């Protein structure tokens, strides 16, 4: 069959009216596609704005529950928690990560107490908010981050978070073998319905700067994370990472950062046909806000277009600091 051509085919015909554009829209974005990352800090009644992330604050555990209630009201199904551990509680081995009374666990319980199971709580597993050196794992000779010893700590950290009530364990550390070890430990402890969302393809990226400010690790970090996070030049390697994490028991996988890595999202989705999430990271948020600040674009349009792009690429959902704002726009 020969393809119709202009003028029998006019691609603009279906774009001519709003109702028709709505009818032909291939992708939908709803608040249910969003995961809202939240930063936790010590104290009660505290809100601390984060300079590098204009419009984003750290909240004390009591006020985190208010944010979770706000998320529920907006139709956001899940929040992601990141603690800004007090300097005095950071150490060489990040042992505070295993403390059942740590900031993360108190924030989880605060949300649980206030919201029951009306919202999912995703918790980050990695040692960087707890170490005095800002690396995600334990240091060996010459500052090399040790794999197997770190995995043991991550397993204990995961059990600690699951016991406090976390719904989704999200290891962001990129150690080898950690998904299998964490899954086995969760099963062994009876946490059979606690999910694992693996940061499977996480790149050693320049886009994490504002996040490191937010959790207080930027000034502490010695060196970089290139011996465990992926080289931005690689995509076949991302597929191998995803295959391993799925084989080890990940329920869903994540690609991170977001927009610069949409090609990875597409390849992962097409190859594995599993739930894929993307993290629109702090540097991406800051870029949008910087563009808005100089009048290079309008926030609402930039936010909705970028989030739609993740859905179009095949994401089940997106972690974004713009989640509440986007959900409000989508609800209007
Ligand atoms: C740490 C972690 C990072 C992010 C999420 N978990 C930073 C890093 O790996 O250095 C980045 C998130 C963001 O930039 O918004 N394991």
């Amino acid at each position: 069959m020969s393809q119709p051509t202009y003028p029998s085919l006019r691609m603009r015909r279906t774009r001519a009216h709003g109702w028709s554009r709505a009818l032909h829209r291939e992708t939908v974005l709803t608040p249910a596609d969003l995961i809202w990352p939240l930063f936790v800090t010590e104290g009660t009644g505290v809100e601390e704005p984060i300079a590098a992330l204009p419009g984003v604050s750290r909240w004390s555990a009591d006020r985190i529950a208010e944010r979770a209630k706000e998320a529920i009201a907006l139709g956001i199904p899940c929040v992601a928690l990141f603690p800004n551990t007090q300097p005095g509680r950071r150490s060489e081995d990040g042992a505070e990560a295993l403390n059942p009374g740590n900031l993360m666990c108190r924030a989880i319980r605060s949300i649980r107490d206030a919201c029951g199971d009306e919202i999912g709580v995703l918790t980050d597993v990695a040692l960087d908010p707890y170490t005095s050196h800002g690396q995600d794992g334990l240091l060996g000779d010459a500052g090399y981050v040790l794999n197997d010893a770190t995995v043991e700590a991550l397993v204990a950290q995961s059990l600690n978070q699951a016991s406090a009530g976390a719904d989704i364990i999200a290891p962001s550390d990129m150690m080898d073998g950690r998904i299998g070890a964490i899954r086995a430990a969760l099963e062994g402890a009876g946490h059979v319905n606690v999910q694992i969302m693996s940061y499977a393809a996480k790149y050693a990226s320049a886009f994490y700067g504002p996040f490191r400010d937010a959790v207080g690790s930027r000034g502490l970090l010695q060196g970089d994370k290139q011996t465990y996070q992926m080289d931005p030049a690689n995509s076949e390697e991302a597929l191998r990472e995803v295959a391993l994490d799925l084989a080890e028991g990940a329920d869903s996988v994540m690609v991170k950062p977001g927009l610069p890595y949409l090609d990875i999202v597409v390849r992962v989705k097409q190859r594995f046909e599993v739930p894929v999430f993307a993290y629109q990271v702090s540097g991406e948020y800051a870029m949008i806000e910087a563009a808005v600040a100089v009048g290079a674009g309008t926030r609402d349009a930039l936010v909705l277009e970028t989030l739609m792009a993740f859905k179009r690429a095949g994401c089940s959902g997106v972690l974004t600091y713009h989640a509440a704002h986007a959900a409000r726009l989508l609800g209007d």
Side-chain angles (χ1 to χ4, degrees):
M1 194 184 83
S2 67
Q3 293 292 325
T5 56
Y6 170 86
S8 58
L9 174 65
R10 289 179 185 267
M11 292 303 290
R12 292 182 58 194
R13 215 174 269 139
T14 54
R15 297 178 203 145
H17 305 283
W19 62 263
S20 181
R21 290 190 293 276
L23 192 62
H24 290 85
R25 194 158 292 136
E26 297 175 34
T27 308
V28 288
L29 175 69
T30 78
D33 297 317
L34 306 174
I35 298 175
W36 190 11
L38 296 169
F39 296 104
V40 199
T41 194
E42 280 297 339
T44 43
V46 177
E47 173 181 4
E48 289 170 0
I50 300 161
L53 286 173
V56 178
S57 295
R58 303 182 195 97
W59 305 89
S60 50
D62 55 320
R63 300 204 61 189
I64 278 288
E66 295 171 13
R67 299 284 72 72
K69 283 185 181 161
E70 185 182 347
I72 293 168
L74 289 167
I76 296 171
C78 188
V79 293
L81 302 181
F82 299 92
N84 179 19
T85 307
Q86 285 174 306
R89 293 193 166 272
R90 295 181 196 230
S91 59
E92 186 73 17
D93 64 359
E96 177 67 6
L98 316 187
N99 172 6
N102 70 18
L103 195 49
M104 177 67 108
C105 293
R106 279 180 278 135
I108 298 167
R109 284 194 210 96
S110 159
I111 294 176
R112 271 288 158 266
D113 291 349
C115 308
D117 73 347
E118 277 188 87
I119 190 159
V121 179
L122 178 153
T123 53
D124 197 73
V125 166
L127 297 183
D128 54 310
Y130 312 91
T131 53
S132 47
H133 44 73
Q135 293 287 359
D136 291 24
L138 303 171
L139 299 188
D141 293 343
Y144 185 77
V145 173
L146 300 170
N147 194 86
D148 301 4
T150 298
V151 169
E152 272 183 48
L154 299 174
V155 165
Q157 180 183 22
S158 301
L159 289 174
N160 189 32
Q161 293 174 353
S163 300
D167 297 294
I168 306 179
I169 300 293
S172 69
D173 54 282
M174 290 298 280
M175 298 300 120
D176 287 321
R178 88 278 205 221
I179 300 300
I182 291 170
R183 185 70 264 164
L186 290 172
E187 293 295 314
H191 297 299
V192 298
N193 283 332
V194 172
Q195 302 175 29
I196 298 178
M197 182 187 292
S198 165
Y199 287 69
K202 175 171 178 179
Y203 288 85
S205 171
F207 286 94
Y208 304 150
F211 172 95
R212 291 178 188 167
D213 280 339
V215 299
S217 69
R218 172 138 57 180
L220 302 174
L221 185 62
Q222 296 151 16
D224 55 44
K225 301 190 177 183
Q226 293 185 59
T227 71
Y228 46 105
Q229 298 179 351
M230 282 182 52
D231 183 339
N234 298 352
S235 58
E236 284 175 0
E237 189 183 342
L239 301 179
R240 294 182 78 188
E241 284 283 5
V242 169
L244 284 167
D245 287 359
L246 291 171
E248 290 176 31
D251 299 284
S252 56
V253 293
M254 194 200 297
V255 173
K256 177 185 175 189
L259 283 192
Y261 296 86
L262 282 188
D263 59 319
I264 308 299
V265 170
V266 172
R267 289 192 74 182
V268 169
K269 187 68 191 177
Q270 288 181 346
R271 170 81 61 96
F272 298 100
E273 299 178 322
V274 297
V276 181
F277 291 81
Y279 199 143
Q280 185 175 43
V281 298
S282 57
E284 297 178 72
Y285 174 95
M287 282 198 332
I288 291 176
E289 289 301 313
V292 171
V294 297
T298 55
R299 178 181 293 112
D300 298 359
L302 291 169
V303 166
L304 292 180
E305 182 177 334
T306 55
L307 294 176
M308 184 64 87
F310 289 106
K311 289 299 303 290
R312 193 191 61 238
C315 284
S316 295
V318 190
L319 289 89
T320 174
Y321 302 98
H322 279 121
H325 183 68
R328 241 173 252 120
L329 293 174
L330 293 167
D332 287 345

